Amino acid sequence: TERTFIAVKPDGVHRGLVHKVIERFENRGYKLVGLKAVVPSRQLTEEHYADLKSKPFFKGLVDYMSNGEAPVIAMVWEGPDVIKQGRAMIGATNPLQSAPGTIRGEYCVSVGRNAIHGSDSFESAEKEISLWFGKAGELIDWKRSGSEWVISNN
Ligand code: GTP
Ligand code: MG
C-alpha cells in the first residue's frame, strides 16, 4: 500500500493548523505511520526542494522552512492512492487558485505561505520519506482499528 510525505510548514504551525491537517487525513481513513516536529537544516530543506533551486524564491523558501521560528510537522500517511488524494486535499500551489474545500483553499491566500506540503509523485514520496524519516524505527507498521470498514479487499 501507498505512503506519502505530508508536512505542515512553519506558517501553518504558527497558525494552529496542525490539527486541521491531521483531522482531514484521519477522517478520510488514512493511517498515520510517522510524525515528528523538526527544524530542518538548510541542507535538508535544499535537498527537499532541489528541483526549485533555480527559482527566484528559492532562498526565501529555504529561509522560511529552516529558520527555526517554528518547526515543520513532518508526517507520513498511508492508504489507497494517498499521494494523489493528498495533493487533491491540499489544493493548488497558489492558494488563490486552490478550490474551496481544499486545505490551502480554506486557510491560505499566499503562495509563499501555503501552510502545507505534499509529495507530488511516487518518486518524490520515496525520496522525501527517506530524507525526513531516514532513521530506523521512525515509521510504524500498525493496523488501524476498524480499517475493514474503511478499506475493502475487493
Ligand atoms: P509543496 O507541496 O510545498 O512542494 O508545494 P507544491 O508542490 O504545490 O509547489 P512546488 O513544489 O512547485 O513549490 C514548492 C513551494 O515553493 C510551494 O509550496 C511554495 O511554498 C513555494 N513557491 C512555489 N512557487 C512560488 C512562488 O512563485 N513564489 C513564492 N514566494 N513561493 C513559491
Ligand atoms: Mg512540490
Side-chain angles (χ1 to χ4, degrees), residues 5-71:
F5 176 69
I6 299 292
V8 183
K9 299 178 186 182
D11 55 317
V13 178
H14 273 293
R15 295 181 53 212
L17 300 179
V18 175
H19 74 289
K20 302 276 188 194
V21 171
I22 292 176
E23 179 179 43
R24 284 171 182 234
F25 281 83
E26 275 194 325
N27 282 352
R28 188 83 191 270
Y30 290 125
K31 185 168 69 176
L32 185 60
V33 297
L35 172 72
K36 63 180 173 182
V38 244
V39 175
S41 64
R42 295 192 70 87
Q43 189 194 330
L44 172 71
T45 310
E46 283 171 9
E47 257 179 78
H48 173 78
Y49 282 130
D51 53 324
L52 301 173
K53 206 156 195 141
S54 63
K55 302 284 186 188
F57 57 81
F58 186 72
K59 186 178 175 298
L61 175 62
V62 174
D63 284 343
Y64 126 80
M65 289 288 287
S66 60
N67 71 13
E69 285 176 29

Side-chain angles (χ1 to χ4, degrees), residues 102-140:
T102 64
I103 295 167
R104 289 171 179 160
E106 294 284 313
Y107 300 116
C108 305
V109 289
S110 172
V111 70
R113 295 291 182 269
N114 62 6
I116 178 170
H117 162 83
S119 305
D120 63 9
S121 65
F122 183 78
E123 293 70 32
S124 311
E126 289 225 302
K127 176 196 139 178
E128 292 165 4
I129 290 168
S130 62
L131 194 58
W132 292 79
F133 290 90
K135 291 192 207 101
E138 283 194 303
L139 299 180
I140 314 295

